[in-house]
Every structure is written in structure tokens, then in C-alpha cells.
Amino acid sequence: MKWQRKDILGLEDMSVEDIRHILHTAKVMKEILMRPIKKLPTLKGKSVVNLFYEASTRTRTSFEMAAKVLGADTSSIAVAQSSVSKGESLYDTAKTIQAMRADLVILRHPSSGSANFLADILDSGVINAGDGQHEHPTQALLDIFTMEEQLGDLNGKKVVIVGDVLHSRVARSNAWGLQKLGVNVTFVGPPTLVPVEMEGLGVKLTHDLDGALPGADVVMALRLQLERQKSGLFPSLREYSQLYGLTT
Amino acid sequence: MWWLKDVWVIDPSQNLSGSRDVLVKGGQILEISSSLSEEEVLAKAQGESLETVDGKGKFVFPGLIDVHTHLREPGQEDKEDILSGSRAAVRGGFTTILAMANTQPVIDNRALIEFVRLQGERAGYAHVLPIGTVTKGMLGGELVEMADMKAGGAAAFSDDGKNIQNAEVMRLALEYAKLTGLPIISHCEDKDLAGDGQMRRGMASARMGLKGIPASAESVIVARDLLLAEETGGKLHLAHISTTESVDLIRRAKTRGVDVTAEVNPHHLIFCDEEIRLTDTVLKVNPPLGSRGDRESLIEGLRDGTLDMIATDHAPHTLAEKARPFAEAPFGIASLETALSAIWQYLVLPKRLSLERVIEAWSYSPAQRFGLSGGTLKAGAAADMVLFDPDFSEVIDSAQLVSKARNTPFLQKTLQGFPVMVWVEGQLVQRNRTVL
Ligand SMILES: [Zn+2]
């Protein structure tokens, strides 16, 4: 198939064919990465800009390495979180990037929808490396890739995602992507972190981990940020791990 | 002198809806009658020059009164000022607008009240009536000098934009405002429940990963303020009601005789939360757009009189401010120039609301509640008046808007049904969509 998309913004609006195409390409690429010389000319002469409004060494390095392997020229614009509200707006930055004639922009930003916002402005492609609590499509694609490697075809499988799904872009992207591949997705956590309106994603909700585990093919545990305790979303790590901690 | 011939007159103040002739002379309504002859009219003109308007197929009604506008002056004139805002008002069919107090500085003393009033007079379009804050600095603590501010021209008191979180301060405000006879306008929003939410909490917010504001953020304060008004006997007006629960609470309070009125904004009657797109900050508004069910409750509430008035909550912002990711864009919709047309197209044409009810809720009811002149076409009343052409359609175009703001959901869309002539005190201020 021919790749038609300018951007990768989320899995909610990505077709099954697109998802399969990416997974297939990733498989080939993984083999290439195992070779001693891992340099491809695919993106030779193209420029990739990493635009990170949140610190994330791991994600940024992964994107930089990927771009380098594919032969692209990369540059990074790291914006300190503190200067976001006062300094240049994302709109102004977008105009600068437009003038730089970048071919591809990788964006990590604390606001939901910021990647869609940037993609609307730019002629260049935009890859969402995490926007607020909205989507983190590449992380989810990697999760799905790993699941397929382990389990083969995911159709009819059951995936349980445990934790703070309300605030998780990874959970949202996984939910969209997995369901498109025929997976039954269940969100598990306390009602404050798994509120009833999450049903809008088409997933099953439960507050009972033990009830959700039987028959699960994959269990994903989300990172829990301690600041959620301060805002009253759960009373203590102690009780949380009693109810939702995964023990073998 | 003006002679509007064979025009459909809607004047809820005299229970009138029918084809008539309207005569305007010396800035006032001279009379409304049937089938006047040219000789009769010329005799009444007594030598004054006469302009005749063929009103067939058009409506005339009292100039609309909007009790909730943000004109941003003083302090934020990049968004709007009193001149541009009052020009936008008459372009949209409003002849009286109440200006909210959350400017920079906030309108919390008589000097500032008089400044806003004077700027409105200097502009010379719609009547601009200032609303003062309830508390000094709009900080929710000490009360302002309400009596002095009323003497300077304040039409009401409101900390709109913020809510008075301290119930005792709200209780005292309702008590003290009795000295003035003016209502306290409450922007009902519990700060903790609203948090840093960006839209109504629901499936749409969950899907997009936008922080949600629960419906209860409004309705718990509505309940509180109704109880306080009931206990004190104070005069309460509830701004921009947006939830089913609030409508129910108000309906019940009214049966108990609580001195309360309430307004609803056009956007809450037209849109709902599921229409919000992540990149479409134009629908980001506070209170946030509710569910379909809320929208139905609001329409029902407006029909049965639980909600007394429509008000725009005209909230102009600059393009740069709205051109941000959703969470970073300010709340608000600019609506003075499109609101009446939108209500006509989305609610009157599909027969959800009668035009008579719309005019009552947007002119007569506000005049009654805030003790304003206007809202009537009775003989002798100032001729604040709108000629409305239900067939006139227009693309809402940036170049045509006279407000400084462009944050309207109707930009580049076609709306049908517009005011084509507007008079303030008998003076024509808008003709064929152009502000004179
Ligand atoms: Zn308000």
C-alpha cells in the first residue's frame, strides 16, 4: 500500500490498514537494526526537527536515533517547561519551523491536541510523541508490536490496562489501536482514575483487578504519578498497591 | 419621521404580534396602528421630513437588551473596546448592553462606573450600562460601595468571570444590595469542582484527554445562591445557566417565590460538548458546552419561563489568544453580531422557540428585571427598535465584522435572518448591515 498520511497524530483516526502497514514496516526495520551496518538512505536529505516541550530523554533519543538510521538530518528544539506560558507560543514556534522548511516534526507537548494544532499549521509532517492526556500513538504502536511478537494475531485477545487511565495518553492510544485489531480492552483502577465517562472509548471498565485478570492475555500497568495522591484521587500508595498492584 | 408600513410588529410588552404600521417621531414611538393613509401620516409629520420603509415580510421589535457583554475597556482594548463593542451591538440588533465588570482594572468604584458610562455615551451607538463588581478588586472579600456606584449609573453588581466562593460574602452581598434595588448577578462556578478543566466532563472530554468540568461545578453554586436569596429576600440574577440540574433548581425555587431570574447564552442553546474538536478553540467557553440533554433542558426552561432571558456573554478575544492548543486558549465566544441570527436559524425556524418568546426574553424581560427603559414599543417610549429581515442571508466574514474579535463559531458560515435597520432613540444607527 502507499502511505498517504502527512501526520501521525493518534490511533483514534488511523485506519487498520495504516496500523498494519506500520507494524509490518517495523518488523522489517527491526531485522535491519540487527545488522552490523544499520544505515539506510530512506530519508537522505530530509530534515527532522524534534520539538520537545516536556523533558523525555528516552523518547527524544529514540526518535533521533531512528531519524539518523534513516539518513535524515536532525535538529532538536528543547523548550523548558517554565518558559512555555510566557515565551513564544506554539503558534509562533510553528511559524519558525515552517520557515526552516523542515520535512518532519516530532512533537511532545503537555497540552492535549497540540499535535493536531501543529499539523494544521505546518506543511511538514507531524508525529505526535505525546500530547497532554490525549494520545501517544508511537508508544502504543510499539506496545502493540511487542504484543504481536509474543502472541501473534491479536484478534480476540484480551488486554487489561491497570492504573491511572484517566490521565494517560498511552492508555488512550492503546485502547484505540488494540480495539481496531479486534482486541477486547479492559481498563482497571479506582473509580477516581477510571471514571464512567471513559466508556466513551468503547472499552470495558472495572474497579476489580482480580476479576479482570482471568483470561487476560496481556496486562499493562501504567505508571502512577504521586501528585495524584495530593489531589485526592487515591488515598495512599499502600492502599493502591493492595488493590491494583501486580504481584506474581 | 419614520413610517414603517405593513410590518409584522412583535412587542411582548403589549402582547402584540401582528401586521401594523409604526410611526416614529422625535426619537419616540408615536403610534402603532393599522392601515394609515399617506395623508394621515403627513398630517402627523407636521412638516418633519418623512422616510417610509416597506416592512412587508419583515419584523419590527424593540431593540434587544443584552445583560451580559464583555467590552474589555478599560485595559484589554486589543480584544475589544466600548466603541467597537457597541458598534457590534447595533449591528447585531442590540440597543442596550450591560458591560461586565471584569476589566483591568475591575469596575469596583463610582469613578470607573462613570468612565464606562461616559465612554458608551461618547461612542453613541447602543446604550452602554456598566455593571459594577460585588467585591473590591473582585477578590471575593469586601463589598463595594454599592449605593455610590448605583448613583454613578451601575445597573447591577457582579464578580462575573469569577464566582464568590465564600457563601457568607454572597449572603452579605444579597442583603446589602437591597439598598440599591439592583440584582446581584452570579457566575455560578465552584472553583474546586471546576479545577483547571477545559470543557464539560463527559465522554467527549474523556475521549480527547481534556480535563473535564463536572456539571455540578455550576449547579451546586446555583443551589447555594438560591438558598441564600430565599433566606435573605435578596435579588438574584443567575448568569449563563448551562445544566439540567440548574434549570430544575431554578424552576423549584421560583415556585417557592424566590426573587430570582436567570439567563441562557445562545451557544448553550445551539451547541453541545460532543461538537467540540481538539483544535477548535472557538467552542471553548465558560460555562462549558453541556450534553444534548442539557441543551434540551435549557430550551425547555426558556420556553416555560424558568429561564427568563437570553444573553450573549459576548466574550471577545484576539486571534493570537485563540490560536493556541485547547488547554492554553482563553474561554469565550464573541457573539453580539451573530447571536440573534443564530437563534433565528437554529431555534425559531425549526419551531423550537417562537420569535415572540425570543423577543420577550431578549428585550422585555431584561428591561423589567434591571429596571431599564426600552424593551417596549408603546407610544411615547424611546424608539429603540429593530427591523429584522428573515430572508436576508450573509456569510459571516472577517472583513464585515465590526467587533475587534473573530472568535465566533459562525466565521465563514452562512447565517440567515438579520437585523437590517436598527434605531437608537429614533436615530438610525445601522442600515443594510452597515453601522452608520
Ligand atoms: Zn461568567
Side-chain angles (χ1 to χ4, degrees), chain B residues 68 70 160-161 187 239-240 286-287 313:
Chain B
H68 197 146
H70 295 273
D160 182 65
H187 162 119
H240 41 56
N286 192 23
D313 195 3

Side-chain angles (χ1 to χ4, degrees), chain A residues 85-136:
Chain A
S85 51
K86 325 171 203 153
E88 249 190 7
S89 71
L90 184 57
Y91 184 83
D92 295 330
T93 309
K95 289 290 169 196
T96 311
I97 293 173
Q98 182 81 317
M100 287 161 61
R101 295 176 179 278
D103 295 291
L104 190 60
V105 179
I106 318 295
L107 178 71
R108 159 70 63 94
H109 196 279
S111 287
S112 298
S114 51
N116 306 63
F117 174 85
L118 192 68
D120 279 357
I121 302 171
L122 293 182
D123 295 328
S124 55
V126 173
I127 294 181
N128 181 7
D131 63 325
Q133 298 165 4
H134 176 225
E135 288 234 35
H136 193 341

Side-chain angles (χ1 to χ4, degrees), chain B residues 240-298:
Chain B
H240 41 56
I241 289 305
S242 71
T243 77
T244 297
E245 295 76 17
S246 299
V247 174
D248 288 344
L249 287 162
I250 297 163
R251 189 177 285 124
R252 278 188 274 158
K254 283 189 166 180
T255 64
R256 298 196 305 272
V258 179
D259 188 2
V260 61
T261 49
E263 77 193 30
V264 60
N265 302 150
H267 42 265
H268 291 120
L269 293 167
I270 294 171
F271 301 109
C272 52
D273 63 346
E274 59 197 63
E275 291 167 85
I276 294 173
R277 299 285 166 268
L278 259 177
T279 48
D280 197 9
T281 58
V282 79
L283 289 181
K284 180 175 174 179
V285 66
N286 192 23
L289 300 176
S291 65
R292 282 161 186 260
D294 288 313
R295 185 172 59 185
E296 284 308 303
S297 303
L298 296 173

Side-chain angles (χ1 to χ4, degrees), chain A residues 36 52 54 62 69 98 136 139 149 187 201 211 219 225 248:
Chain A
F52 275 61
E54 285 177 342
S62 305
V69 167
Q98 182 81 317
H136 193 341
Q139 176 67 51
E149 273 194 324
F187 285 169
L201 280 84
V219 181
Q225 291 177 344
T248 43

